[in-house]
Amino acid sequence: MTFEQFVYTIGRIPYDNADAHFCPQFLQLPEEIEVFRMENMAPVRKFLAECGIEHLPHRNRTKKEDWRSQYTPEMQEEMRQYYRQDFEKYGYDDIIG
């Protein structure tokens, strides 16, 4: 299966049949949970320090290839529609590529 086939397969899974890895987060996370953005690690580090974790190593680094380049405009739209409520709820732009 190509990556493009994978994207379209995920985009067609009914939410109630989706594996936790692919199911939109708004269906899985309780309302009262604090959600952090990995783009801004300062709040994450602060939270972890409050929990007694002072160092968070970065492991399994990948190549610096831009993942966005893997999506065609049609694939972007497929994911935009499937995860639309996640984008809205968690304050992300719906721009994938």
Side-chain angles (χ1 to χ4, degrees):
M1 177 181 294
T2 66
F3 179 64
E4 185 170 7
Q5 291 169 326
F6 173 76
V7 166
Y8 287 114
T9 298
I10 297 304
R12 290 179 174 78
I13 297 173
Y15 289 160
D16 57 346
N17 290 340
D19 177 276
H21 294 92
F22 309 117
C23 188
Q25 296 299 296
F26 81 93
L27 294 171
Q28 300 184 64
L29 299 177
E31 287 295 323
E32 65 277 1
I33 197 166
E34 186 169 4
V35 176
F36 296 101
R37 291 171 162 248
M38 299 311 287
E39 302 91 326
N40 181 4
M41 289 298 292
V44 176
R45 287 189 186 96
K46 180 179 182 226
F47 175 80
L48 292 173
E50 291 169 0
C51 295
I53 302 170
E54 296 295 329
H55 179 67
L56 184 63
H58 188 162
R59 297 180 190 211
N60 298 322
R61 290 180 187 258
T62 59
K63 296 177 187 174
K64 296 291 181 181
E65 182 179 331
D66 185 358
W67 58 269
R68 292 171 195 89
S69 67
Q70 303 300 312
Y71 289 83
T72 65
E74 295 80 15
M75 293 163 64
Q76 291 175 32
E77 185 60 26
E78 185 77 18
M79 294 293 91
R80 186 177 292 114
Q81 291 303 314
Y82 193 73
Y83 293 106
R84 179 181 52 80
Q85 289 174 288
D86 278 355
F87 287 122
E88 292 171 3
K89 182 171 184 161
Y90 303 112
Y92 282 92
D93 293 333
D94 68 353
I95 298 169
I96 297 171

